[in-house]
Amino acid sequence: MSQSGDLYQELILDHGRKPRNFRPIEGGAARGVHDAEGYNPLCGDRVKVFVRMGGEVVEEASFQGSGCAISTASASLMTDAVKGKRPDDVRALFDRFHDLVTGKPVEDGLGKLLAFSGVSEFPMRVKCATLAWHTLLAALEDRATPVSTE
Ligand code: ZN
């Protein structure tokens, strides 16, 4: 594996073991907090994503749940990546991320999320990598129904 490949692997392992922003956000809708739950039956990953809006932008994002290393690392890196972004920018970022993990050519601008480029070689893992993102979008849109990747 190439050197950058090793680095990416390290990043996923690190975030899988020690996820960042792994906690709920208290306060509920009255304080601009939205949440949603997601489930990936293919792998058994479960995630609950919290997002706190400050005006037009995501001020804070966090998650809880249990899943494989890829799903945990993806949720962890996502909650860092979306901070300070408007919902439209979050959607655009997810589109690029989705292209990355499904092996489509991507423009730059993914930062650490590029660590997931290897997922495109394992189609079974695409849903692990995208679960937290689908769930975040549901939270931003206040969709009550739990997200399932199936
Ligand atoms: Zn998984």
Side-chain angles (χ1 to χ4, degrees):
M1 196 182 269
S2 70
Q3 205 169 12
S4 67
D6 285 342
L7 278 176
Y8 286 160
Q9 193 78 10
E10 279 296 308
L11 196 64
I12 290 179
L13 286 174
D14 178 42
H15 279 258
R17 282 194 206 112
K18 292 178 294 183
R20 319 300 195 266
N21 310 306
F22 190 73
R23 56 186 154 76
I25 301 175
E26 310 292 344
R31 295 197 49 209
V33 179
H34 306 259
D35 60 61
E37 289 175 45
Y39 176 50
N40 172 19
L42 216 60
C43 179
D45 309 313
R46 285 181 190 280
V47 69
K48 183 167 186 179
V49 172
F50 300 83
V51 58
R52 185 164 57 81
M53 299 301 291
E56 298 277 284
V57 302
V58 172
E59 211 158 68
E60 189 183 6
S62 73
F63 76 107
Q64 291 199 298
S66 62
C68 66
I70 298 270
S71 71
T72 303
S74 177
S76 175
L77 281 153
M78 176 194 79
T79 50
D80 270 346
V82 300
K83 230 169 272 180
K85 290 195 159 45
R86 293 182 299 120
D88 281 350
D89 299 328
V90 171
R91 267 178 223 111
L93 186 60
F94 175 46
D95 284 345
R96 285 206 294 274
F97 181 72
H98 195 270
D99 284 347
L100 177 79
V101 296
T102 51
K104 297 197 186 83
V106 281
E107 305 150 45
D108 216 357
L110 279 161
K112 288 180 177 177
L113 298 174
L114 279 174
F116 293 90
S117 58
V119 169
S120 63
E121 288 162 46
F122 305 94
M124 292 280 291
R125 310 319 293 272
V126 169
K127 286 175 176 173
C128 302
T130 55
L131 175 66
W133 286 90
H134 286 296
T135 310
L136 172 68
L137 292 187
L140 286 172
E141 289 160 20
D142 270 326
R143 272 185 267 139
T145 335
V147 178
S148 174
T149 53
E150 289 302 288

